[in-house]
Amino acid sequence: MRKPLIAAMAVLALSGAASVAYFSRHSAPAAEAPAPAPASPGVPVTAGTVAAADIPVFLNALGTVQAFNNVTIKSRVDGQIVKVAFKEGQDVKAGAPLIQIDPRPFQTAVEQAQAAKEKDQAQLTMAQQDLARYSELMASGYKSRQTLEQTQAQVAQLQASLRGDEAQINAARLNLDYSEIRAPIDGRLGTRLVDAGNMVRATDAAGLVTISQLKPIFVSFTLPQENLHKIHEKQAGGELRVLAYGSDNKTQLADGKLTVIDNAIDQATGTIRLKATFANADERLWPGEFVNVRLILMTRRGVPTVPAQTVQDGPTGRYAYVIKPDNTVERREVEVAVVQDGVAVIAKGLSPGENVVVEGQYRLTNGARVRSAPPGTGAAG
């Protein structure tokens, strides 16, 4: 009797333990249930704003800087250099002394020509006095007409000799002036090609020094002939601006005007040569330098512009993503007028003031939510 009672109590204890374990597993508080996943913050992109800007329309060319005037200084007389009166590379004004050739032989020639003139002048005076006396004596019958005519011829001959003497004096004085070589133009001197003590001749092929006028200065360039009618059309409305850029095509060196259109097209290349003139007050252009040239034909005023990478190429054409106020994007078809200097000019599809995706488009679809940051923050990375 006692054993059946103990067995029944054991069965009840096991059943109670099993019940406690079951309720422990299936009656956990609701607060311990897993939380729902947070909403997506959006695709990170770099945002920008469509800007209204004045964009020039230009033609590109490679140009060469040329001195406005370039002179090779040569001697016009023979002689020995006794003085060099300049420093290499210095600026000079027209008329400044450069080189002195020994002037003594030329001064002697001037004095000789003057002496010859004085001699002929004395003979002319005597001949004129004889002519006056012979004229009176012939009237009285004491001199023949032949003698009178011979004296008249002698006077005329001496008068011609005097004119020749005057020409000799002028030539001698001119050579004397040539012995002092002066700068013919304002400009910058080059390196000295001769030294004091050297003999020079008027027939020498080599020069003594060069001088280049840098202010103003030319830039010469060529364009394909099909652009000629555009240039003429725009030039009719006024002078055309020409900008000179450095080798990186980003650094602007100078701003000038188109001044020369050649009078014929080069048939071998099908190009037309042009020249632009620059004030070059800061001397940023130098003769012989290669520069990138932009001939400005016109300027588009207040056109919508975006960074070039904003516009993407798709199977149906170009497009851009516009960011709406709710931070979702709209894929919009656009027309691009031109892309230059990293800026796309929008002809149709975008308006100034709209926010657009500049970088990070590869992860976007139409209607996607974005998390935008201004350019330069690396949000799209």
Side-chain angles (χ1 to χ4, degrees):
M1 186 70 183
R2 187 174 182 83
K3 289 181 178 180
L5 179 60
I6 293 173
M9 291 178 66
V11 170
L12 289 174
L14 290 172
S15 299
S19 298
V20 171
Y22 176 84
F23 285 109
S24 296
R25 290 195 304 269
H26 297 282
S27 301
E32 295 182 2
S40 173
V43 178
V45 297
T46 301
T49 303
V50 181
D54 296 341
I55 301 297
V57 178
F58 56 79
L59 301 173
N60 281 309
L62 180 63
T64 305
V65 181
Q66 297 177 348
F68 195 80
N69 286 299
N70 191 68
V71 179
T72 299
I73 306 298
K74 294 183 178 182
S75 175
R76 302 177 72 173
V77 293
D78 300 346
Q80 184 181 36
I81 296 176
V82 295
K83 182 181 179 182
V84 176
F86 66 88
K87 294 181 179 179
E88 295 173 307
Q90 79 175 79
D91 289 320
V92 293
K93 295 292 185 180
L98 300 178
I99 294 174
Q100 178 66 63
I101 297 173
D102 188 357
R104 292 173 296 178
F106 309 106
Q107 182 62 47
T108 300
V110 171
E111 294 172 357
Q112 288 176 340
Q114 289 174 335
K117 178 183 177 182
E118 292 172 359
K119 175 183 176 182
D120 289 339
Q121 181 64 58
Q123 292 178 347
L124 175 62
T125 300
M126 180 62 69
Q128 288 174 332
Q129 291 174 352
D130 288 344
L131 179 61
R133 287 194 296 269
Y134 292 166
S135 296
E136 295 175 358
L137 293 175
M138 190 192 73
S140 304
Y142 292 101
K143 282 290 181 181
S144 65
R145 176 171 293 278
Q146 181 180 5
T147 302
L148 179 63
E149 290 175 349
Q150 288 175 344
T151 306
Q152 288 175 335
Q154 185 181 10
V155 169
Q157 182 179 1
L158 291 171
Q159 288 175 338
S161 295
L162 280 177
R163 290 193 294 271
D165 293 337
E166 190 65 35
Q168 289 294 328
I169 292 172
N170 291 337
R173 286 175 175 169
L174 190 60
N175 287 334
L176 180 61
D177 289 341
Y178 288 160
S179 69
E180 185 178 26
I181 301 175
R182 297 178 176 270
I185 59 172
D186 296 349
R188 177 72 57 86
L189 290 168
T191 56
R192 186 176 68 247
L193 303 178
V194 293
D195 298 318
N198 281 286
M199 290 294 297
V200 294
R201 293 177 176 79
T203 56
D204 289 344
L208 309 178
V209 68
T210 60
I211 180 171
S212 299
Q213 186 175 354
L214 307 180
K215 305 174 187 177
I217 203 166
F218 280 134
V219 172
S220 177
F221 59 99
T222 59
L223 286 170
Q225 63 179 14
E226 54 265 25
N227 294 311
L228 185 56
H229 71 281
K230 300 178 186 177
I231 298 171
H232 282 148
E233 178 183 347
K234 299 302 180 182
Q235 195 178 40
E239 290 183 322
L240 298 183
R241 290 177 63 201
V242 178
L243 305 180
Y245 284 79
S247 57
D248 59 0
N249 208 21
K250 296 179 180 179
T251 305
Q252 182 175 330
L253 302 178
D255 189 331
K257 302 291 184 182
L258 179 67
T259 50
V260 177
I261 301 177
D262 203 358
N263 59 1
I265 291 173
D266 186 342
Q267 293 184 342
T269 61
T271 58
I272 182 71
R273 181 170 294 279
L274 305 99
K275 276 188 178 181
T277 302
F278 297 81
N280 202 33
D282 55 2
E283 296 185 356
R284 299 192 73 185
L285 299 178
W286 209 254
E289 180 182 10
F290 290 104
V291 294
N292 291 294
V293 175
R294 297 182 183 181
L295 174 60
I296 309 299
L297 296 179
M298 60 176 290
T299 300
R300 295 185 176 98
R301 303 289 180 182
V303 293
T305 61
V306 294
Q309 64 268 31
T310 303
V311 180
Q312 302 292 304
D313 290 319
T316 59
R318 293 180 171 180
Y319 66 92
Y321 282 107
V322 179
I323 302 175
K324 296 181 178 180
D326 61 357
N327 286 331
T328 61
V329 293
E330 173 193 351
R331 176 170 168 158
R332 189 180 298 175
E333 302 293 329
V334 297
E335 292 182 9
V336 178
V338 67
V339 177
Q340 59 191 39
D341 296 334
V343 176
V345 179
I346 306 302
K348 184 180 180 181
L350 297 177
S351 300
E354 289 187 301
N355 293 324
V356 293
V357 177
V358 178
E359 294 178 349
Q361 300 95 326
Y362 68 98
R363 299 173 59 186
L364 298 179
T365 58
N366 194 32
R369 183 173 297 276
V370 296
R371 184 178 76 251
S372 62
T377 61

